[in-house]
Structure formats: structure tokens, C-alpha cells
Amino acid sequence: MNVVWPRFLKLAYRKEPISSFILIAGAVDVAIGGLDSSWSLATVGIGTVGVAVMLRWWLMQRSRTQLPEPVSQRYLPAQSSRPQMPMLTVAKQKPPRPGR
């Protein structure tokens, strides 16, 4: 569980950093207000968490409707305009004789 939780938080925070920050701030308010018996702070935190959840839901719905089809981008043409180069071979010649 300890390994899964940080990965989940990193993944969620990278996708939507603004709503994740608001959600974390609201959760901290709820925790502090609940532990300190400050119900007004807990209520503000619950409202903040609700706003963050609604913001994330709205952003996810908006991104689903606006995703265009991915267009493949090619950096090189499919076929070369130049003819294929011939294979190079090493010519087997006799080395010159020393002394001549």
C-alpha cells in the first residue's frame, strides 16, 4: 500500500495540478478541523473538497469532448527521392611486390 499511494498521488497531481492542490488543501482543512473540533474549518474544508471534485469532473468531461483524432506526423517521406546506393565491395587485388 505504501508504494501504490505515492504513485497514485503523483499520477493524479500531474494530470490536473490545480484541482489536486485545491483537493489537498481542502482535505487538510477537514483533517485539522476534525481533529481540533473546529467544525467551521471542517465545513470549509468539505466545501473546498467538493469544489475540487467538481472542478476535476468538469475538466475531465471537457477534455473528453475536445480530444481530436491524433494525426500521425512524419518527419521523413515514406520513400526516398534518390535511387538506392550500390553496395560497396572491397576489390581483391594483389598487393604490389616489395622491391619493384
Side-chain angles (χ1 to χ4, degrees):
M1 181 68 182
N2 290 337
V3 176
V4 176
W5 186 248
R7 286 184 185 175
F8 174 73
L9 286 178
K10 286 179 186 177
L11 180 66
Y13 196 77
R14 284 183 186 156
K15 284 185 178 180
E16 297 293 336
I18 295 173
S19 62
S20 296
F21 176 77
I22 295 170
L23 183 75
I24 291 171
V28 168
D29 286 347
V30 170
I32 292 172
L35 292 175
D36 198 29
S37 298
S38 174
W39 299 112
S40 60
L41 182 61
T43 304
V44 169
I46 290 172
T48 305
V49 168
V51 167
V53 168
M54 291 300 292
L55 177 64
R56 178 167 292 188
W57 177 80
W58 179 67
L59 289 172
M60 287 176 61
Q61 294 298 321
R62 191 178 71 172
S63 68
R64 284 184 187 165
T65 59
Q66 292 181 352
L67 285 178
E69 290 286 327
V71 178
S72 62
Q73 183 177 6
R74 297 183 182 202
Y75 294 104
L76 296 174
Q79 301 226 348
S80 176
S81 60
R82 295 182 177 183
Q84 187 176 6
M85 298 283 294
M87 293 296 294
L88 296 177
T89 58
V90 178
K92 294 183 180 180
Q93 296 179 351
K94 293 182 181 179
R97 292 184 198 171
R100 277 195 182 183

